[in-house]
Amino acid sequence: MSVGHNMNMDLIMRARETIEAALLAAIAAQPFDPGLSVVELQQVVVGREGIGVGTFRDVLHFFHTCQGLDERMRLDSYSMMGTAATLPQMNLPNEVRPAAALNTLGTMFDELENEEGRDACVELHVIHARCATIQAEKIDHALGFVVRWGRVERKDDSYCRHGRSWPKYNTDTLTVARDQLPIGTLAAELLPAVRDVFALRANTHVASEPPTARFGRFLTKQGWTGFAGWWTSTLCEMNSLSDERHPSAICVLCGALLEAALVAISMPAKDAGEWKRDFLKSSPENWKLGQLIDQAETAKTCRPEQRALAD
């Protein structure tokens, strides 16, 4: 088998793990509606560890059974069983698998069946009341986790346990090496990005959205759709490259994005009287990146350390 084929298989496996981890993180981010569209999933996955758009699309067919009626991707019970995150004896980040909440939830269902019999259903507000020692959002996460796993069935706003056994989850929060538990630890790493996706969908504040992504949304708001499309595709291409294997290409794309960003802000900066260099009077096709960097530093658009990075 060739080295190139081995590298390709490694990339495919990384892409599969990353997609699975993102869908697992989605349960933590939005337990009762954890579905991600293909576009949203691509935003989270592409650009991580060298995963490009092509590999992402090629790997999606492995997850066809996870797609719901709303065309959003979710982990199904079979996929959940295949992840290390469902193994109770393993140490996993609580952000991904809320062990204490799962144990409390299991005890509550035991007590409920003792009182009302097997297949007893209970409403969400009652679950919160009976599990008051654990924060409600943790209980919601635990419910979302076991519903996707198939251990609990959701009926409107009520929940009914399937089966009599409930595992005892290890609540040890020791850090585990990523190569030992790739899915669970990777899901914790992806959780901020997945939360950002849900925040964008709801048009709420995105705490950890990268500045480059925010700038793309700024271009769209200005009505510069062509510019915004170029920005997004170029950024995606750059993020899909590996620092070790593609340093020159990354540097060239960084320069292109920097120049584009400075050109984009030149008009409002001129209108505000902050950018005043003579070269701005000529057509933008004649501008040089060095001139734009000089102007940005003079007008304090960028700090000296940012100027050094630009150079």
Side-chain angles (χ1 to χ4, degrees), residues 33-235:
D33 185 18
L36 292 171
S37 70
V38 171
V39 172
E40 291 169 338
L41 196 56
Q42 179 175 315
Q43 291 172 3
V44 175
V45 173
V46 170
R48 296 182 184 273
E49 299 194 40
I51 300 169
V53 175
T55 299
F56 169 79
R57 291 174 179 167
D58 289 343
V59 169
L60 273 184
H61 75 274
F62 290 112
F63 295 87
H64 68 279
T65 58
C66 307
Q67 198 157 326
L69 295 176
D70 57 3
E71 297 300 313
R72 289 178 180 162
M73 306 291 289
R74 298 171 179 81
L75 286 181
D76 56 17
S77 59
Y78 178 79
S79 300
M80 288 286 287
M81 288 176 65
T83 67
T86 60
L87 299 180
Q89 70 273 21
M90 288 189 172
N91 303 320
L92 283 168
N94 277 320
E95 304 99 309
V96 175
R97 189 196 63 197
L102 285 163
N103 289 337
T104 301
L105 198 61
T107 300
M108 186 223 69
F109 275 113
D110 285 340
E111 294 172 348
L112 181 69
E113 290 184 4
N114 184 46
E115 296 166 7
E116 301 184 19
R118 192 172 182 176
D119 299 327
C121 289
V122 58
E123 294 181 343
L124 182 60
H125 69 91
V126 177
I127 293 176
H128 286 162
R130 296 184 69 140
C131 300
T133 57
I134 304 291
Q135 292 178 321
E137 56 266 29
K138 294 292 185 183
I139 294 298
D140 290 348
H141 179 190
L143 273 172
F145 188 93
V146 292
V147 166
R148 296 313 310 166
W149 195 5
R151 288 188 174 272
V152 170
E153 181 182 2
R154 182 179 180 181
K155 299 178 180 178
D156 296 323
D157 198 32
S158 295
Y159 296 84
C160 178
R161 180 165 68 176
H162 283 176
R164 303 302 296 273
S165 63
W166 190 279
K168 185 72 173 178
Y169 288 88
N170 185 359
T171 58
D172 193 343
T173 57
L174 291 174
T175 301
V176 181
R178 178 170 169 174
D179 59 351
Q180 292 176 301
L181 290 173
I183 302 302
T185 50
L186 181 55
E189 292 174 16
L190 295 177
L191 187 53
V194 172
R195 283 182 172 142
D196 286 350
V197 166
F198 285 120
L200 280 172
R201 187 194 296 173
N203 199 29
T204 56
H205 177 63
V206 180
S208 58
E209 186 181 28
T212 48
R214 290 201 302 273
F215 193 77
R217 291 200 291 124
F218 160 77
L219 295 174
T220 300
K221 287 180 180 179
Q222 301 309 306
W224 302 336
T225 54
F227 197 168
W230 173 87
W231 177 274
T232 301
S233 62
T234 304
L235 183 64

Side-chain angles (χ1 to χ4, degrees), residues 231-276:
W231 177 274
T232 301
S233 62
T234 304
L235 183 64
C236 186
E237 179 183 356
M238 186 187 72
N239 287 335
S240 69
L241 299 176
S242 164
D243 290 349
E244 295 78 14
R245 295 194 294 272
H246 313 108
S248 298
I250 290 173
C251 185
V252 170
L253 291 173
C254 279
L257 289 164
L258 172 62
E259 185 172 26
L262 293 174
V263 170
I265 66 172
S266 63
M267 185 62 70
K270 284 194 298 180
D271 292 343
E274 296 179 0
W275 283 26
K276 305 174 182 178

